Amino acid sequence: MGNYTATAFAHPNIAFIKYWGDIDPDLHIPANGSISMNLRELFSRTSVSFDPALEHDQFTLDGRPIDKTGLERVRSLLKKVRRMAGIELFATVESHNNFPMGTGIASSASGFAALSLAASKAAGLNLDEKALSCLARSGSGSACRSIPSGFVEWQAGGNDEESYAFSIAPPEHWDLVDCIALVSQDEKPISSSEGHYMAKTSLLQPARVADAPRRLFLCRQAIHAHDFDALAEVVELDSNLMHAVMITSTPPLLYWQPATVTIMQEVESWRKDGLMVCYTVDAGPNVHVLCSREVSGEVTDRLQKLSGVQKVLVAHPGGPANFENGYSNT
Ligand code: PMV
């Protein structure tokens, strides 16, 4: 076994076709497949050291010690790694995000992807991309999509071995831009884990899930053909279907704020006027506005002028989870 220490980084991703609802909540086996794009400018950087002197696992996020749920989720991933590597050492985990917490950008995807790569390497394992994706999924479902490069599909799979993500196109395939309009930087009141659990209480979830293969097909096709109009149509439909499920769950879950709706309406009207732009919204009030690179400056300016928009972050298609020196297992 090597020197027990490794550092890795990974990007968060934005889902074009969303994961919402599990068939196995412990393993995060999703009710439907999903497709996303990694976000190059944003990343988590995570160092893991297995240390014979430690009596329990320790976890700091942006320099602050994390306990309870956060530590439990990290600990259960470390447990898996220990089991796979046949070691019994505890670890120190230090994670940093280059995007501030509370910006509504899910740090769990990039965080668990970077943790999977760093922890498995530090434990002496050389996992391939599929095994890393499965490991990351066990920490946070969408983290499995932050392991491969660029535009990524997570096949639902139905079991632990077959539920993993793979690249469907490299980052340079299409110079799409995600202009993220932040309307709130508050911690979300209901976590996505709770939301996944509630999805089955919505009458609309079976219809959303049944139609997912068609939307996945349309999205894949739009990406391969660089067809922005087709992408816009299926991405907005998919986001609205997920929020329809959320709103009709018991208890109802409404992540949108008035500014969220304003941005969605503006984006619609900009597209009608010929601008290549569309929206998608995750489990929060902030709006991811996708557009082509040529119009991203114009889109950012327009978003910044809308009332309720606090800040706009801009991200391009990103690469895979990786080690600091650029070496990749894949
Ligand atoms: O991986 P989780 O449990 O944070 O769930 C992610 C859920 C959405 O962001 C709303 C959709 C998605 O596919 O990323």
Side-chain angles (χ1 to χ4, degrees):
M1 175 162 172
N3 63 5
Y4 302 124
T5 299
T7 299
F9 70 87
H11 305 290
N13 63 75
I14 177 62
F16 293 172
I17 302 296
K18 312 284 190 193
Y19 150 51
W20 199 245
D22 292 302
I23 57 165
D24 183 329
D26 297 326
L27 292 171
H28 304 142
I29 309 295
N32 61 276
S34 51
I35 292 179
S36 60
M37 178 181 100
N38 288 345
L39 303 176
R40 186 177 77 200
E41 283 76 3
L42 313 179
F43 61 84
S44 299
R45 178 182 180 279
T46 302
S47 298
V48 177
S49 287
F50 288 99
D51 181 349
L54 290 173
E55 288 174 6
H56 50 84
D57 294 318
Q58 292 169 356
F59 173 36
T60 61
L61 184 53
D62 292 328
R64 285 186 300 275
I66 301 292
D67 52 13
K68 303 203 183 84
T69 323
L71 178 60
E72 265 325 301
R73 289 174 73 185
V74 167
R75 199 176 269 160
S76 76
L77 193 140
L78 291 171
K79 255 190 213 165
K80 251 186 196 189
V81 170
R82 278 191 280 264
R83 209 177 317 125
M84 289 163 98
I87 60 167
E88 289 183 355
L89 304 177
F90 291 110
T92 302
V93 175
E94 286 174 10
S95 198
H96 292 273
N97 298 322
N98 79 334
F99 48 101
M101 289 286 285
T103 49
I105 312 302
S107 57
S108 62
S110 48
F112 279 104
L115 175 66
S116 300
L117 189 53
S120 55
K121 185 72 178 172
L125 296 165
N126 266 310
L127 302 183
D128 63 14
E129 185 181 274
K130 176 179 167 185
L132 280 168
S133 181
C134 287
L135 181 61
R137 192 203 71 235
S138 73
S140 173
S142 57
C144 74
R145 296 191 311 241
S146 283
I147 295 286
S149 185
F151 299 85
V152 173
E153 177 159 357
W154 173 10
Q155 66 170 33
N159 61 49
D160 200 15
E161 288 74 40
E162 292 310 313
S163 188
Y164 64 94
F166 48 86
S167 180
I168 55 172
E172 57 279 7
H173 170 72
W174 198 1
D175 50 5
L176 284 180
V177 182
D178 183 7
C179 302
I180 311 163
L182 303 179
V183 306
S184 166
Q185 310 203 20
D186 296 340
E187 182 112 352
K188 55 187 167 205
I190 306 282
S191 68
S192 44
S193 314
E194 290 170 86
H196 290 302
Y197 192 73
M198 282 151 56
K200 58 178 175 298
T201 65
S202 167
L203 290 172
L204 305 184
Q205 173 74 344
R208 192 192 74 87
V209 170
D211 182 61
R214 186 187 68 93
R215 297 193 305 282
L216 287 163
F217 173 77
L218 292 174
C219 183
R220 236 180 263 129
Q221 234 188 5
I223 291 171
H224 286 141
H226 304 97
D227 184 341
F228 191 87
D229 289 340
L231 184 80
E233 196 174 320
V234 73
V235 162
E236 291 186 356
L237 170 66
D238 191 84
S239 175
N240 291 333
L241 282 169
M242 179 182 74
H243 288 275
V245 167
M246 292 167 166
I247 296 165
T248 52
S249 291
T250 307
L253 190 49
L254 178 61
Y255 284 114
W256 295 350
Q257 289 183 8
T260 313
V261 179
T262 303
I263 300 165
M264 288 160 61
Q265 287 175 324
E266 288 291 332
V267 166
E268 281 292 292
S269 81
W270 299 343
R271 190 160 77 253
K272 281 206 184 94
D273 293 345
L275 205 62
M276 273 204 192
V277 66
C278 70
Y279 65 78
T280 184
V281 183
D282 273 347
N286 301 318
V287 186
H288 291 253
V289 179
L290 304 171
C291 61
S292 64
R293 191 189 277 263
E294 304 83 68
V295 298
S296 62
E298 165 82 15
V299 169
T300 306
D301 286 347
R302 289 192 191 195
L303 287 170
Q304 262 154 354
K305 288 192 190 115
L306 294 180
S307 93
V309 173
Q310 298 173 354
K311 198 175 174 183
V312 181
L313 301 177
V314 175
H316 299 84
N322 216 331
F323 298 111
E324 273 203 312
N325 61 8
Y327 167 76
S328 164
N329 267 11
T330 57

